[in-house]
Amino acid sequence: MKNIQIRNQLSASQRLNHPEEGEAVQTSPPHLFKEHFMNDDFTEAMQSHPDNYTDRKQPDATYSDTLNNLKGLKGHEKHAALTRHLQNNLPRMDAEGQLRWLSELSQQIRIPRDMLKSSVESALKRLRLSGRSLKEVLEKVNQFGVSPEQQGLLIYRWFNQNGAGLFRDRYHTCYLVWNERVFEIGHNQPFNALLWKEAGITFRGKNAGRIWAVLQVEAHNNSELVKRYSWLRTDSAHNRVYLHPNAHDGSLICISPEGISPIANGNNEDKVLLTPAPKMQPFELQRLTDDGYRSAWTEFDRLVLQNLACSRLDQLLCGCWVLCYPLIDFIRTRPHLRFEGISGAGKTRGLELLSHFVYGDTQLKMGTDAANYADASRNPIVMLDNVETKNFSRGLADFFLTAVTGIRREKRRSGTLHDTVDEKVSCLLATTGIENLGKTEHINRMLIVEFDRWKFRSPNWSERVYSEITASRPELCSAHMMLASRVLARIAASGFEYWVDWLESEHPGHTKDRANSFLALMALILDELLPIIQPDMKTEEVLSQWVKSQDDIGRETARGSNQIVGLVESIRSDWERAGDGAADQFRRWGYDIDCHDSAISGTATRLLPTFRIVARRKGLRFEFVNAMQLARRIADAEAILQQIGVKLTMAKDRTKTTVYTFEFNHELTTDALVAVDRPEQEGSEVVAVEAVPAG
């Protein structure tokens, strides 16, 4: 009873070291407790036997004494004692011990928020995260009420310590390479799904936006700057190509003259970071022997080429064209492949066969202009079905030219006033249609293949061909990568320049000469294929036949597509019917031209309204807006006018204005009309063209 009375009279600071209830109390002043409490006994015990103080269910004597001592203090004394304890003892523990001890303290006594926050942050900076579950780590630290910013830092450090790669591009977009997959750091579904899987948090969660912002800032400040590419990266200086095959492990394929090899995406010596083509089905790279390589191309010929409803030469042309897609960055002009023929001729089926080889599925489509540009920047081949003159809009025509020439499409960056984003169209383009598109600027950049399934029957065709191509695709695509490596070896040995020079010397001025580089690349592929699938043919023979055939088709195509030729032909037809009264008849119709015995003449300013009237009377297209444009188009039609027997002369009048004279030869017919596409000449001067008499 006496002991109890004494105990009730003591202050909290005087009861700190009371051994147990019922014993006599030995009072001690506060400074004596501080000396005992702030020494290293507790820390040494924690370090010597950490399990006793961190993983216990019941506290031992040292822990109990320390906790009771802290509970017994109040006010300033408690704050000072706790501060000294945390400052002196926490740094001597490992990060795990710090967090566990802070957890015990926070559950038993009231720790000031600022003190707990600074202690926890200090512990988190030292916490080792490699090999641990991020969900468990976040669950443990969240009991301390850490800020979203601290959670974001912890998540960033966890990815960094567990082998993630961090990169940023010149547009300040950051990427995380995790398990060989590339994630754009930000609010997007793939990255959101990753954080839900690894951290158990969602973007819709409380304060999630602040966590995402920290991840973006930390990644930007601590990542490597790389060039961001789509599915393909070409190092032309070293004749090396990197391609993303959409493999399950996320690896890339490095193709060089020495061979092919898989490499990690992003985490590689050359810092190449690629995005898989969305349309391409995955294929695993196979190691083929020489026999396997030859067998794969035999299957390619049987399943794909021989089922194209066109001539054998055109089958080889289509095959070499589609096999160029991993090497397109070596070429500036990539001719558009167009399948033409009547309805049911097998055009769509032919493009589907190529699609199954490249993509593993049918990827033919009809899309908007914006969708076409997005498709062309992310996939190797854009395949448009049923493109006819009625839907060949200005926007689609511009897209065709962009895809064929490889130029960039630039637009303003969303949400900014001055920044721009360029969208590079890096792909091949293939279309089908019944009608000829009839655009002069497209003729010399287009390879046209006539399809006729009744004339060119496919011996191996059945609906099962598609599934057979899909089943054989790993071997076919692996053989394709090996072929690309062999072609790169030929490029390194100046084989490319040889074929360009050969085309310029053997076929100068043909209508497809802008695509000579692409034809030279096709010749290198042909060198590899012919000994396997068509050993009785030589590359020179096949290439010459391609050029001659496409040249003839190009001339025929230009026949009805040149507006100047159509307008001059209409005037000549009217002149022939009117005979000697042509001048009076032309005047009544409003033609502002001078008529001679067998010729008309006028300046570009006078010819412009005259041609407009002719176009309205005859129902012809008329797209000229000024005299300068008309003068250039007349120059562009020079060779065609010469072929139909029109004598075009140019002379200066007294005012030094150019006068154009078209002298007709009525014995020539329009059957002789042949188009030759030539580059537009600069300026308004028109070169004189002498008439070629009939016969």
Side-chain angles (χ1 to χ4, degrees), residues 12-13 16 30 33-34 37-38 66-86 105-112 115:
S13 59
L16 288 176
F33 158 68
K34 290 180 182 178
F37 182 64
M38 295 304 170
T66 304
L67 193 57
N68 288 334
N69 290 339
L70 287 172
K71 286 181 179 179
L73 294 176
K74 292 183 179 179
H76 177 73
E77 287 185 349
K78 176 180 178 181
H79 188 277
L82 186 60
T83 301
R84 290 284 302 275
H85 170 65
L86 295 179
L105 288 177
S106 63
Q107 292 174 14
Q108 298 293 332
I109 62 176
R110 187 180 184 87
I111 302 178
M115 184 183 300

Side-chain angles (χ1 to χ4, degrees), residues 68-280:
N68 288 334
N69 290 339
L70 287 172
K71 286 181 179 179
L73 294 176
K74 292 183 179 179
H76 177 73
E77 287 185 349
K78 176 180 178 181
H79 188 277
L82 186 60
T83 301
R84 290 284 302 275
H85 170 65
L86 295 179
Q87 288 178 347
N88 293 342
N89 295 322
L90 278 187
R92 305 182 186 185
M93 307 180 196
D94 59 15
E96 283 288 333
Q98 290 182 16
L99 292 177
R100 290 171 179 170
W101 179 228
L102 288 170
S103 177
E104 296 284 359
L105 288 177
S106 63
Q107 292 174 14
Q108 298 293 332
I109 62 176
R110 187 180 184 87
I111 302 178
R113 180 178 300 178
D114 293 342
M115 184 183 300
L116 180 63
K117 177 183 176 182
S118 62
S119 300
V120 170
E121 290 178 357
S122 175
L124 291 180
K125 290 178 182 179
R126 299 172 53 195
L127 189 62
R128 289 189 302 176
L129 302 171
S130 59
R132 302 185 61 184
S133 168
L134 180 57
K135 289 182 181 179
E136 294 180 1
V137 172
L138 289 176
E139 185 178 347
K140 288 183 178 180
V141 302
N142 283 338
Q143 64 181 313
F144 300 107
V146 296
S147 66
E149 287 76 15
Q150 285 297 321
Q151 293 183 54
L153 284 171
L154 195 65
I155 294 172
Y156 163 77
R157 289 179 53 236
W158 184 86
F159 277 111
N160 196 31
Q161 290 185 22
N162 285 278
L166 291 168
F167 304 93
R168 70 181 187 279
D169 60 20
R170 62 192 183 99
Y171 298 115
H172 308 290
T173 303
C174 299
Y175 304 94
L176 173 75
V177 179
W178 180 250
N179 291 335
E180 305 300 336
R181 289 187 60 193
V182 179
F183 299 87
E184 180 181 337
I185 300 178
H187 179 33
N188 58 79
Q189 193 59 36
F191 188 71
N192 293 347
L194 174 67
L195 285 194
W196 170 251
K197 176 183 177 182
E198 301 292 351
I201 58 176
T202 66
F203 186 79
R204 298 296 181 185
K206 185 178 179 181
N207 297 320
R210 295 161 65 183
I211 297 176
W212 262 248
V214 170
L215 290 173
Q216 289 176 308
V217 172
E218 286 295 316
H220 185 274
N221 292 339
N222 299 284
S223 58
E224 295 185 63
L225 179 64
V226 297
K227 290 184 178 180
R228 176 69 167 168
Y229 302 96
S230 59
W231 57 275
L232 180 70
R233 161 76 170 109
T234 300
D235 182 1
S236 55
H238 299 92
N239 297 313
R240 191 175 300 160
V241 171
Y242 303 89
L243 183 143
H244 201 308
N246 227 346
H248 296 294
D249 62 358
S251 61
L252 309 181
I253 295 177
C254 177
I255 310 174
S256 67
E258 292 76 28
I260 56 177
S261 59
I263 62 172
N265 191 14
N267 293 328
N268 52 70
E269 294 181 358
D270 298 322
K271 302 301 179 186
V272 176
L273 180 65
L274 301 183
T275 303
K279 290 185 176 181
M280 184 175 290

Side-chain angles (χ1 to χ4, degrees), residues 6-25:
I6 295 174
R7 184 180 183 85
N8 291 337
Q9 295 174 1
L10 295 179
S11 66
S13 59
Q14 293 173 320
R15 298 200 305 263
L16 288 176
N17 293 322
H18 198 293
E20 60 183 21
E21 189 172 345
E23 292 185 350
V25 177

Side-chain angles (χ1 to χ4, degrees), residues 673-687:
L673 180 60
V674 181
V676 179
D677 184 59
R678 296 184 56 186
E680 294 181 1
Q681 298 181 9
E682 297 294 333
S684 60
E685 297 296 321
V686 181
V687 180

Side-chain angles (χ1 to χ4, degrees), residues 463-512:
E463 289 294 336
R464 297 189 60 183
V465 163
Y466 298 123
S467 59
E468 290 184 51
I469 294 174
T470 302
S472 302
R473 192 163 170 267
E475 290 76 18
L476 297 180
C477 291
S478 298
H480 187 194
M481 299 301 104
M482 293 176 65
L483 180 140
S485 174
R486 299 185 182 194
V487 170
L488 287 175
R490 292 176 180 268
I491 292 176
S494 301
F496 180 78
E497 289 77 8
Y498 167 80
W499 286 113
V500 171
D501 294 341
W502 186 89
L503 286 167
E504 291 178 352
S505 61
E506 295 295 326
H507 300 278
H510 66 94
T511 56
K512 314 293 181 180

